[in-house]
């Protein structure tokens, strides 16, 4: 009798052990991803290629002191401990930040991560006379961590970073500096080009093979410091496929398992064939930034509100196959910085006409606006049909919108130079999509008068002492909840004054083979590929 | 002959310098900033500093002289986009373009000559009509459109061949590499094949109407021997067209390479244009221009060899 019981028990235990051990193993089948990038982003530490670069060759190979929490599709992504376990501002001097570093972390080459590595990397980016200084990496990160002034080692596992002025948003800026291995750099003869081919970071993946412009093959780092984020797939292969239809064909023909931005007209077919389609709103805004310079009609709040009310956003969403979210502000309502704006952005042509009449415009004297647009570009979605749709919407309320098309680089140059610059070709506004990932990129660098070009991205030359004061209060409020509340107030103020034309937020559609598992599309530009794998 | 070759080779030097000047000027006249490829989100102030550190603040003639000097010493600089040295990047791209270019040329020329000769020889028959209509379709069809159709049929519907990239094989002599090459080569072969077929057909028809053919027939030569004579006489015309078509294949495959994400010079050029990657753009344009110069030279020499009446010495 006992014998009869023991045998099934032993059998059950051994099967359970087998299942447990196999689940700890990674999936042999590689995960092949078709990116929209035209080139593999740089792999030396600070990636180029914007946030897509950070997504694929940044947070896969490297870590920052503070990472992003990307395991939740429901709430807005926040900060998470990375190579630093904790950080705090010095209560006596709000320009000093202490970062406690994670112990036992190793770079892919086996060398230790410690305070010396932090200092070495900050020198790499910002100390022009350091032997490891790399102008190319500096160019990628300098504009994202403007507050940093100096840095020093406290002990082997603690560093102190100092900012120019008190800035509570500094931890967000810290997420953009990624840490390369000093030992590997030495081993490769102090050559960043060689390092790019054989990089070494601390991230969940290490580089196995890099074929420029063709493919980047990453292998899982089994010793990754965060047990929860040890990669599920043994290999991750990244392929740059900028052409949207080629990308979709590659997925349909089984050459890749996962693509970003499938062309909208392919989506119904992909769905029909059993592919998974995912999307989620993320910190992105597709706006018109308009000139506030002397003599601009945009200085009249009635005009600004009228334009916002004249646009049929659900119509634009429909035009995009449903893959967008109508904007009711700079950030979407699920953001902790949304606040409580009272100006409800909706489609109300009658109200728009009324406001225009109050502002002195009529059929005899119509309002004319000239906006600089691009035929394509990062985050620009489908600019041509969207802009033409808006043009029709505005026409219906008596506004003549002229679209001046130039290529993406010219548009970026105009944004940098600011409204009225010769490069802007006499336009009153630009259609340049914007990332609103952190408080600084969402508000400070765009709406503060200190950010008027050449010192920042306040293209509009928008200057409001109240906004400046609010930005400053945000920067000097170190309690997170209070700061988020202040950001909400700032956002509500900007929306109530209809400072810009906010049209839609992108939702970043992805198409995945039916065998792909573990994918969670966070509400973010960055995504975690470590838990994603292709099932047998 | 040798003197002629030498003279033609020497001619290429001023041509190359002229080309370099045009390339440099055009690239720098195009709107956009050469540093946009390396820049992240930098403001105007930082941009000015960076322009200085990369040497883009210097006057254009000085930038040209520096670039030409470096290029002549084999230093084509580094890609602004990826940081990789330009020369090996260009060589690997040229090797890939050459691979599908040669494959497409072989396919197109063999089928084109055969079909053209058959059509010309059987002038007016249904065979001629079939070849001529196919050739007209081949010439009129945009090759990027054909590329998309090939992808839809062979990759998406049938799932036989890959539609993206060159695969991960290290050598061209593997099935993995051939699978990836087949569709781009087919798409590229259509136009040269059709052009060569039309040229061969016209040349054969013209030669067949010449008196010497009648004379050959009168002497009792077999049709096969006569065809050989016709082919020999048609060769210089067909060669000239083939040379140009081959140069087009090596230099003009931007669209097809982009559709297949084929890592060749056309795709590289496309990326360099969008990224304003000046060092890569300049080097690739130079290489493509030199391809043309070189192919013309080879064709001229071959023509002189094929038709002794062309005495260029």
């Amino acid at each position: 009798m006992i014998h009869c019981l023991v045998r099934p028990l032993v059998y059950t235990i051994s099967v359970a052990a087998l299942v447990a051990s196999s689940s700890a193993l990674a999936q042999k089948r590689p995960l092949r991803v078709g990116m929209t990038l035209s080139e593999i982003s740089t792999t030396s530490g600070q990636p180029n290629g914007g946030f897509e670069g950070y997504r694929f060759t940044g947070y896969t190979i490297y870590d920052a002191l503070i990472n992003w929490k990307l395991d939740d599709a429901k709430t807005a992504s926040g900060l998470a401990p990375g190579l630093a376990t904790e950080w705090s501002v010095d209560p006596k001097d709000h320009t000093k930040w202490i970062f406690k570093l994670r112990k036992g972390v190793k770079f892919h080459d086996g060398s230790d991560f410690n305070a010396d590595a932090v200092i070495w990397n900050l020198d790499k980016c910002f100390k022009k006379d350091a032997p490891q200084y790399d102008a190319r990496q500096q160019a990628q990160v300098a504009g994202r961590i403007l507050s940093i002034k100096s840095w020093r080692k406290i002990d082997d596992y603690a560093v102190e970073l100092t900012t120019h002025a008190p800035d509570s948003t500094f931890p967000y800026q810290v997420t953009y500096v990624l840490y390369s291995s000093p030992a590997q750099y030495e081993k490769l003869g102090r050559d960043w080009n060689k390092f790019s081919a054989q990089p070494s970071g601390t991230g969940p993946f290490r580089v196995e093979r890099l074929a420029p412009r063709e493919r980047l093959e990453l292998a899982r780092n089994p010793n990754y410091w965060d047990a929860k984020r040890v990669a599920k797939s043994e290999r991750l292969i990244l392929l740059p496929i900028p052409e949207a239809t080629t990308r979709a064909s590659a997925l349909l023909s089984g050459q890749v398992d996962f693509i970003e931005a499938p062309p909208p007209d392919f989506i119904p077919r992909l769905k029909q064939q059993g592919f998974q389609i995912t999307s989620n709103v993320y910190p992105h805004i597709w706006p018109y930034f308009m000139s506030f310079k002397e003599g601009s009609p945009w200085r009249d709040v009635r005009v600004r509100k009228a334009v916002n009310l004249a646009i049929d956003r659900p119509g634009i969403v429909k035009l995009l196959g449903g893959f967008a979210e109508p904007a009711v502000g700079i950030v979407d309502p699920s953001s902790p910085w949304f606040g409580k704006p009272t100006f409800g952005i909706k489609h109300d042509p009658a109200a728009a006409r009324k406001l225009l009449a109050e502002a002195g415009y009529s059929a005899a004297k119509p309002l004319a606006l000239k906006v600089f647009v691009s035929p394509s570009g990062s985050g620009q979605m489908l600019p041509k049909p969207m802009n033409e749709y808006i043009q029709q919407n505005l026409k219906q309320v008596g506004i003549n919108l002229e679209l001046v098309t130039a290529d993406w680089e010219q548009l970026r140059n105009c944004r940098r130079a600011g409204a009225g610059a010769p490069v802007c070709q006499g336009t009153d506004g630009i259609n340049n999509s914007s990332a609103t990932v952190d408080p600084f990129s969402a508000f400070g660098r765009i709406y503060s008068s200190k950010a008027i070009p050449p010192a920042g991205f306040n293209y509009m030359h928008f200057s409001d002492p109240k906004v400046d004061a609010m930005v400053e209060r945000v920067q000097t409020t170190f309690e997170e909840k209070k700061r988020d509340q202040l950001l909400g107030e700032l956002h509500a103020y900007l929306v109530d004054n209809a400072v810009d034309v906010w049209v839609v937020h992108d939702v970043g559609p992805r198409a995945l083979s039916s065998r792909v598992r573990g994918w969670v599309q966070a509400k973010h530009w960055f995504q975690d590929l470590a838990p994603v794998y292709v099932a047998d | 002959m040798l003197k002629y070759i030498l003279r033609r080779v020497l001619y290429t030097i001023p041509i190359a310098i002229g080309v370099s000047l045009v390339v440099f000027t055009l690239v720098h006249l195009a709107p956009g900033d050469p540093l946009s490829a390396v820049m992240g989100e930098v403001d105007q102030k930082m941009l000015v500093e960076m322009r200085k550190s990369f040497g883009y603040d210097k006057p254009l003639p000085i930038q040209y002289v520096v670039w030409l000097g470096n290029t002549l010493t084999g230093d084509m600089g580094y890609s602004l986009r990826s940081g990789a040295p330009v020369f090996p990047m260009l060589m690997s791209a040229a090797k890939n373009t050459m691979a599908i270019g040669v494959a497409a040329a072989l396919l197109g020329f063999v089928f084109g000559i055969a079909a053209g000769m058959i059509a010309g020889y059987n002038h007016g028959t249904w065979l001629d009509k079939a070849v001529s209509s196919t050739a007209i379709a081949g010439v009129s069809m945009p090759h990027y459109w054909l590329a998309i159709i090939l992808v839809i049929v062979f990759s998406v519907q049938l799932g036989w061949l890959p539609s993206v990239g060159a695969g991960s094989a290290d050598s061209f002599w593997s099935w993995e590499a051939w699978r990836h090459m087949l569709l781009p080569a087919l798409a590229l072969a259509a136009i040269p094949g059709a052009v060569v077929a039309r040229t061969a057909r016209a040349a054969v028809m013209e030669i067949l109407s010449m008196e010497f053919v009648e004379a050959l027939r009168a002497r009792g030569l077999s049709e096969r021997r006569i065809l050989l004579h016709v082919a020999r006489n048609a060769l210089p015309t067909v060669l000239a067209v083939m040379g140009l078509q081959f140069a087009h294949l090596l230099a003009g495959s931007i669209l097809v390479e982009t559709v297949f994400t084929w890592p060749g010079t056309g795709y590289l050029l496309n990326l360099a244009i969008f990224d304003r990657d000046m060092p890569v753009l300049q080097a690739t344009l130079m290489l493509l221009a030199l391809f043309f110069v070189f192919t013309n030279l080879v064709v001229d020499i071959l023509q002189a060899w094929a038709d002794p009446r062309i005495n260029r010495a």
Side-chain angles (χ1 to χ4, degrees):
Chain A
M1 180 71 185
I2 289 172
H3 186 70
C4 288
L5 279 173
V6 167
R7 258 179 78 176
L9 194 68
V10 169
Y11 179 70
T12 312
I13 290 171
S14 51
V15 167
L18 199 70
V19 168
S21 65
S22 66
S23 69
L25 286 175
Q27 283 292 327
K28 283 256 188 298
R29 211 183 263 273
L31 172 67
R32 299 160 303 170
V33 177
M35 310 181 287
T36 66
L37 281 168
S38 57
E39 166 73 287
I40 312 275
S41 310
T42 43
T43 49
S44 52
Q46 304 306 140
N48 59 4
F51 281 168
E52 195 177 355
Y54 267 94
R55 184 156 73 237
F56 287 115
T57 63
Y59 296 118
T60 45
I61 310 169
Y62 298 96
D63 285 298
L65 289 181
I66 303 174
N67 286 347
W68 289 90
K69 191 176 173 296
L70 301 168
D71 58 355
D72 181 5
K74 292 207 174 74
T75 48
S77 301
L79 301 179
L83 292 173
T85 51
E86 51 187 286
W87 56 94
S88 57
V89 71
D90 184 337
K92 284 183 211 135
D93 180 353
H94 283 175
T95 63
K96 293 193 187 322
W97 289 82
I98 314 294
F99 290 82
K100 295 265 171 67
L101 305 182
R102 195 175 291 281
K103 290 180 183 162
V105 175
K106 287 202 184 293
F107 286 104
H108 299 150
D109 57 280
S111 61
D112 286 329
F113 167 79
N114 52 29
D116 292 325
V118 173
I119 303 302
W120 187 91
N121 272 280
L122 290 168
D123 286 351
K124 161 191 94 175
C125 293
F126 307 111
K127 194 176 169 201
K128 288 195 174 146
D129 54 355
Q132 72 274 26
Y133 171 73
D134 185 7
R136 219 177 292 272
Q137 293 194 58
Q138 187 244 359
Q140 298 313 319
V141 74
R144 304 196 191 276
I145 179 163
L146 288 172
S147 296
I148 198 161
K149 186 183 170 196
S150 61
W151 43 94
R152 74 177 182 91
K153 172 181 170 180
I154 297 173
D155 61 42
D156 278 352
Y157 289 96
V159 290
E160 181 190 87
L161 272 51
T162 307
T163 56
H164 291 287
D167 185 358
S168 71
T169 68
F170 185 62
Y172 288 97
Q173 300 176 33
V174 168
T175 61
Y176 298 115
V177 182
L178 305 179
Y179 291 84
S180 331
S181 162
Q184 182 79 347
Y185 177 76
E186 288 295 327
K187 196 178 131 197
L188 296 174
R190 301 184 170 198
D191 183 338
W192 280 116
N193 290 317
K194 284 187 188 153
F195 188 96
S196 296
Q198 301 170 59
S200 173
T202 58
F205 292 96
R206 60 179 174 76
V207 171
E208 204 171 62
R209 180 169 174 253
L210 168 67
R213 299 189 323 287
E214 291 180 50
R215 58 205 283 132
L216 175 65
E217 299 187 7
L218 302 171
R220 77 197 273 262
N221 171 10
N223 308 316
Y224 188 57
W225 55 266
D226 184 352
K228 279 185 280 174
R229 279 193 67 220
V230 172
K232 288 270 177 13
S233 196
E234 212 153 79
R235 285 167 79 231
L236 170 62
I237 298 173
L238 303 172
L239 301 151
I241 314 177
E243 192 56 43
T245 45
T246 309
R247 214 159 47 236
S249 307
L251 181 69
L252 282 163
S253 62
Q255 266 189 285
V256 294
D257 311 297
F258 180 122
I259 60 166
E260 297 214 311
D265 46 343
F266 266 71
I267 290 177
R269 184 178 169 182
L270 287 166
K271 269 187 186 162
Q272 201 190 1
Q273 295 197 5
F275 288 90
Q276 310 172 56
I277 307 289
T278 70
S279 65
N280 203 351
V281 73
Y282 66 99
H284 162 278
I285 179 73
W286 194 97
Y288 283 176
F289 292 120
M290 303 297 292
S291 168
F292 275 85
K293 288 183 102 171
E294 203 57 49
S296 165
W298 206 247
R299 291 166 79 98
D300 187 335
V301 68
R302 292 168 297 189
V303 170
R304 304 201 293 264
K305 286 191 170 173
V307 173
N308 268 296
L309 292 171
I311 296 172
D312 175 14
R313 291 169 182 78
I316 294 176
V317 172
K318 209 171 153 198
L319 184 77
L320 296 167
F323 288 96
E325 194 176 286
V328 286
I330 305 160
V331 294
D332 81 286
S334 73
S335 165
W337 316 322
F338 186 77
K340 291 176 187 142
T342 52
F343 173 51
I345 294 178
K346 55 181 187 249
H347 186 212
D348 189 346
R353 275 189 216 102
K354 192 165 165 264
L355 282 162
L356 284 171
E358 281 170 28
Y361 296 99
S362 61
K365 189 200 159 202
L367 170 65
L369 297 171
K370 207 170 168 183
V371 174
F372 213 29
V373 299
S374 70
S376 62
S378 168
Q380 295 290 85
M381 306 177 79
L382 297 175
K384 195 170 187 285
M386 291 167 80
N387 279 307
E388 283 172 357
Y389 195 93
I390 293 173
Q391 196 174 34
Q392 284 173 21
N393 284 165
L394 297 191
K395 189 82 202 156
Q396 282 162 7
V397 299
I399 301 172
N400 293 329
L401 173 65
E402 188 187 337
L403 301 170
V404 179
T405 309
D407 83 331
W408 173 234
E409 292 305 336
Q410 267 179 289
L411 195 77
R412 271 161 60 106
N413 284 343
C414 163
R415 185 183 178 205
R416 254 182 226 115
V423 65
C424 298
Q425 301 181 17
T427 47
D428 315 305
I430 49 167
N431 165 224
N432 191 154
S433 65
S434 190
T436 54
V437 175
D438 56 81
F440 175 67
S441 59
F443 306 106
R445 71 171 185 161
I446 292 178
Y447 300 100
S448 160
S449 66
K450 285 184 191 160
I452 289 175
F457 287 95
N458 185 343
Y459 154 87
M460 308 163 282
H461 286 247
F462 175 71
S463 176
D464 182 336
K466 210 169 161 190
V467 169
D468 286 350
M470 286 165 110
V471 168
E472 202 164 321
R473 259 191 87 195
V474 164
Q475 284 178 326
T476 51
T477 301
F478 290 83
E479 204 233 309
E480 204 179 321
K481 270 203 176 141
K482 177 74 189 152
R483 189 193 59 211
D484 285 352
Q485 188 200 326
L486 290 172
L487 282 162
E489 286 167 18
L490 170 60
H491 181 253
Y493 180 82
L494 292 166
V495 173
D496 290 345
N497 282 285
V499 176
D500 303 311
V501 188
W502 300 293
V503 184
V504 288
H505 304 290
D506 191 10
V507 293
R510 266 99 173 167
L512 289 68
S513 134
S514 59
R515 290 203 308 262
V516 173
R517 309 271 187 278
W519 166 245
V520 174
Q521 185 163 344
K523 290 188 166 191
H524 211 284
W525 287 77
F526 311 138
Q527 300 290 340
D528 191 3
L529 290 172
V532 189
Y533 64 95
V534 183
D536 287 322
Chain B
M1 186 72 174
L2 197 70
K3 220 170 125 194
Y4 169 69
I5 295 174
L6 198 70
R7 207 175 62 212
R8 286 301 312 265
V9 170
L10 286 175
Y11 276 167
T12 56
I13 296 171
I15 294 175
I17 292 178
V19 164
S20 75
L21 197 63
V22 171
V23 163
F24 187 87
T25 317
L26 278 181
V27 164
H28 281 266
L29 279 181
D33 197 295
L35 284 178
S36 55
V38 284
M39 283 178 306
E41 287 282 292
V42 297
D43 57 40
Q44 193 71 13
K45 214 167 103 193
M46 287 183 205
L47 180 62
V48 173
E49 277 174 30
M50 281 174 55
R51 215 173 263 151
K52 208 170 154 188
S53 69
F54 279 86
Y56 284 112
D57 61 329
K58 296 199 175 75
L60 275 188
I62 292 177
Q63 286 189 45
Y64 172 70
V65 172
V66 171
W67 170 69
L68 191 66
N70 289 342
T71 306
L72 287 177
T73 55
D75 173 13
M76 290 181 161
Y78 291 92
S79 155
L80 289 177
R81 178 79 164 82
S82 66
V86 173
F87 188 69
M89 186 191 276
L90 196 57
M91 287 303 108
S92 124
K95 197 178 80 185
N96 287 331
T97 294
M98 196 74 93
I100 50 167
V102 169
L106 281 176
L107 267 173
F109 295 169
V110 168
F111 281 100
I113 291 174
M117 285 191 67
I118 291 169
Y121 200 74
N122 299 292
H123 175 55
T125 64
W126 65 269
L127 205 61
D128 176 31
K129 282 173 190 151
V131 169
S132 302
S133 338
T134 315
I136 289 173
V139 174
S140 328
M141 192 162 42
H143 53 10
Y144 58 88
W145 180 81
L146 176 65
I148 293 169
I149 298 296
L150 289 174
V151 167
I152 292 173
V153 175
F154 292 101
S155 299
V156 176
Q157 299 293 349
L158 299 171
W160 291 351
L161 292 165
S163 58
V164 175
S168 55
D170 294 319
S171 148
F172 281 122
W173 306 109
S174 64
W175 173 232
E176 166 76 358
W178 279 83
R179 280 179 68 222
H180 283 83
M181 269 166 61
L182 214 55
L183 290 185
L186 262 176
L188 282 176
I191 291 180
V195 170
V196 167
R198 280 157 62 99
T199 314
R201 176 181 173 272
V204 166
M205 270 167 60
E206 193 197 333
I207 290 158
L208 276 176
S209 68
M210 283 181 178
E211 284 175 357
F212 84 93
V213 179
E214 285 303 311
L216 290 176
R217 283 209 173 101
R219 282 170 62 188
L221 256 69
S222 69
E223 280 303 304
R224 199 170 62 88
R225 290 288 302 277
I226 291 171
L227 194 64
L228 276 177
H229 278 278
V230 171
R232 180 78 167 85
N233 279 281
L235 194 61
T237 320
V238 178
L239 259 183
V241 173
M242 273 164 54
L244 275 177
Q245 288 300 317
F246 187 58
H248 274 299
L249 278 178
L250 296 185
S253 50
I254 294 178
L255 296 174
V256 169
E257 288 190 1
T258 303
V259 169
F260 289 103
T261 323
W262 181 261
T265 45
Y267 185 52
L268 184 65
L269 191 65
N270 185 11
L271 299 186
I273 291 168
F274 278 102
D275 291 337
R276 297 292 190 280
D277 197 342
M278 297 283 175
V280 177
L281 193 52
Q282 283 164 187
T284 315
L285 281 175
M286 270 304 288
L287 182 80
L288 296 184
L290 293 179
F291 259 150
F292 262 97
V293 174
F294 178 74
T295 319
N296 278 338
L297 175 70
V298 171
V299 168
D300 281 354
I301 294 166
L302 279 179
Q303 269 185 321
W305 161 80
D307 185 353
R309 286 170 301 177
I310 306 175
N311 183 4
R312 283 165 172 162

